[in-house]
Amino acid sequence: MLLLDFFFFFFKQKTAYEMLRSLVGSEMCIRDSFPTAAGMASSASGYCALACALVRAFKSTADVSVLSRIGSGSACRSAYGGFVKWIMGNKADGSDCRAEQFVDNTHWPEMQVLCAVLKGEKKDISSTAGMQLSLKTSPLMKERIEKTVNERMATISECVANKDFEKFAEITMLDSDNLQEICRTTEPRIQYATEDSYAVIKLVHAFNKAKGRRVLAYTYDAGANAFLFTLKKDLPEVVAMLTQHFPTPESSFCFNDAQLAEQVKTVKLDESCMNLIDYPKKSFELLLQSPVGAGPTELAATESLIDLSAETPAPKH
C-alpha cells in the first residue's frame, strides 16, 4: 500500500505462480484472481508468489521477503501470514530491508477484511511512480518519514497486540487520509481516489456515528478501491449496510467464509443505518471477504497449472 507499506498487510495471497526448473527462462504459469495495477496490491502478491516458487523449485535458502522486494517493495510483506511489519533497514544495499511477522494469523481471528472493488481498470499512474513523485515534491513527506511512521507503528502495534479495534480503526483511517493528502500535495497532483472512493469514506464515518463506536475502518492502496476492516461479529451488518448504499448482487460476492455470506441474508438493517449518505445507488464491481491470511501456501498437485502428464511438461491452457 503506497505510504502505508510501513503498516500491516492482511490479505491472503491472490496469485499463483508455478514452474518447473526446465521451464524457467521459457514459460511460467500465472493465475491472478485480482485486477492488476488497479490499486489492490496485485504486484505484492504476484512477486511474492513468484519468489516463493523460485525458492522452492531451486531448493534455495534465499530470504523470500528480500527476494520479493526486488520485484515490488510491498511484496516483502506477503512472505508471512498474520500481521507483518516492513522494516526499513539501514544498509546501503538494502539487504536488511525486509518484512518480519509481528503476530501470526491466529492471534486476532475476529479481524476481517473486505475489499470493495469500485474500479477494476488499470490506474493512470503506478504505485512506484507515484511514490517517487511524492518523495520529491510533497511537503508532507519529510515529517511522515522522520516522525509520523515510527509513532504510528508503535501505536498500531500496541493495538494489534491488545486487539483494540477502536484505536486500530482510528489510526488506520488517519493514515489513509494522510495518503490522500500527500497525493493532493504532490506536484503534479496525484488522484487515485474517485468520487465513489470518497463516498465510501463518508459512509464509513456516518455508519460509525450511527453505531456510536468505530465498527468499520477504511484504508486505500494507491488506487480507488476500498479495503475495509471490521470484526467478525459485526461483518454481516456491515455488509448489509454497504449493499444498502451500494446495491451489489450476490454473484459479485467473493467470500472466504460461506457461513458469513449466508448470515448477511438474515440481517434486518436498522433504519438508523440506512440512507446515511446522499449518493447514487451504484454497485460494487466485486465485494471480497477474507480473514487475516496465513501467508503463501503450496497448492496440491491437483491444482497444478502445469500439465505434468504430457511428454514435455507445459503450461495448461
Side-chain angles (χ1 to χ4, degrees), residues 166 173 201-216 241 272-273 276:
E166 279 265 347
M173 292 188 287
I201 290 172
K202 187 176 180 180
L203 178 60
V204 170
H205 286 301
F207 179 61
N208 287 339
K209 183 177 180 180
K211 298 297 293 183
R213 60 189 175 93
R214 294 186 187 92
V215 178
L216 186 61
M241 181 278 298
S272 65
C273 297
L276 294 170

Side-chain angles (χ1 to χ4, degrees), residues 18-21 24 51-60 298:
E18 184 181 0
M19 64 193 70
L20 296 178
R21 277 180 284 184
V24 173
C52 286
L54 284 168
V55 167
R56 290 174 184 175
F58 289 94
K59 296 182 172 58
S60 172
E298 188 169 355

Side-chain angles (χ1 to χ4, degrees), residues 2-64:
L2 179 66
L3 304 181
L4 195 64
D5 282 337
F6 304 97
F7 270 171
F8 300 86
F9 185 72
F10 301 83
F11 257 84
K12 300 193 299 180
Q13 287 301 324
K14 306 177 287 294
T15 308
Y17 272 84
E18 184 181 0
M19 64 193 70
L20 296 178
R21 277 180 284 184
S22 60
L23 293 179
V24 173
S26 56
E27 291 185 88
M28 283 179 273
C29 303
I30 307 166
R31 181 175 62 209
D32 197 334
S33 59
F34 262 34
T36 301
M40 297 177 69
S42 60
S43 62
S45 63
Y47 279 111
C48 183
L50 175 58
C52 286
L54 284 168
V55 167
R56 290 174 184 175
F58 289 94
K59 296 182 172 58
S60 172
T61 58
D63 185 320
V64 170

Side-chain angles (χ1 to χ4, degrees), residues 55-314:
V55 167
R56 290 174 184 175
F58 289 94
K59 296 182 172 58
S60 172
T61 58
D63 185 320
V64 170
S65 179
V66 174
L67 185 61
S68 301
R69 194 179 58 77
I70 296 172
S72 170
S74 56
C76 70
R77 300 166 305 177
S78 301
Y80 304 98
F83 294 79
V84 178
K85 290 184 177 182
W86 184 356
I87 308 302
M88 182 174 67
N90 298 304
K91 294 182 179 179
D93 63 1
S95 59
D96 59 342
C97 179
R98 61 186 305 279
E100 292 180 358
Q101 186 180 68
F102 180 61
V103 291
D104 68 23
N105 62 304
T106 65
H107 171 73
W108 200 357
E110 298 83 8
M111 178 69 83
Q112 300 290 305
V113 191
L114 294 165
C115 182
V117 181
L118 299 158
K119 181 181 177 183
E121 66 261 29
K122 186 175 180 179
K123 58 198 176 189
D124 295 331
I125 183 169
S126 72
S127 303
T128 300
M131 171 66 83
Q132 291 171 344
L133 193 59
S134 294
L135 280 170
K136 291 177 181 178
T137 64
S138 173
L140 303 180
M141 284 298 287
K142 187 175 186 294
E143 182 178 3
R144 178 174 178 83
I145 293 170
E146 294 178 355
K147 180 181 178 183
T148 306
V149 168
N150 288 334
E151 290 180 350
R152 288 184 183 160
M153 274 294 291
T155 303
I156 208 159
S157 295
E158 188 175 327
C159 293
V160 172
N162 297 328
K163 303 177 186 178
D164 182 350
F165 185 82
E166 279 265 347
K167 190 65 175 178
F168 172 90
E170 177 189 351
I171 297 298
T172 298
M173 292 188 287
L174 186 64
D175 203 75
S176 181
D177 293 345
N178 186 212
L179 164 62
Q180 301 302 329
E181 280 298 296
I182 286 172
C183 290
R184 185 184 64 80
T185 57
T186 296
E187 294 290 342
R189 177 174 176 167
I190 299 172
Q191 185 70 44
Y192 288 122
T194 63
E195 287 187 6
D196 291 343
S197 307
Y198 291 119
V200 171
I201 290 172
K202 187 176 180 180
L203 178 60
V204 170
H205 286 301
F207 179 61
N208 287 339
K209 183 177 180 180
K211 298 297 293 183
R213 60 189 175 93
R214 294 186 187 92
V215 178
L216 186 61
Y218 60 79
T219 189
Y220 287 80
D221 197 343
N225 303 303
F227 290 87
L228 305 167
F229 303 107
T230 190
L231 297 179
K232 192 171 184 177
K233 64 183 178 65
D234 297 316
L235 187 138
E237 183 185 21
V238 164
V239 173
M241 181 278 298
L242 288 171
T243 53
Q244 195 272 328
H245 295 84
F246 290 85
T248 304
E250 287 181 35
S251 58
S252 296
F253 285 17
C254 184
F255 275 44
N256 176 274
D257 189 330
Q259 187 175 1
L260 282 175
E262 287 299 314
Q263 289 176 16
V264 172
K265 301 176 185 178
T266 66
V267 173
K268 285 192 174 182
L269 197 62
D270 191 88
E271 286 189 11
S272 65
C273 297
M274 294 182 180
N275 303 312
L276 294 170
I277 59 173
D278 182 14
Y279 196 72
K281 302 287 187 182
K282 298 181 178 182
S283 172
F284 296 134
E285 291 187 17
L286 290 170
L287 184 62
L288 305 104
Q289 172 270 331
S290 174
V292 177
T297 303
E298 188 169 355
L299 301 177
T302 53
E303 298 186 65
S304 175
L305 302 179
I306 296 175
D307 183 3
L308 299 174
S309 64
E311 184 175 344
T312 301

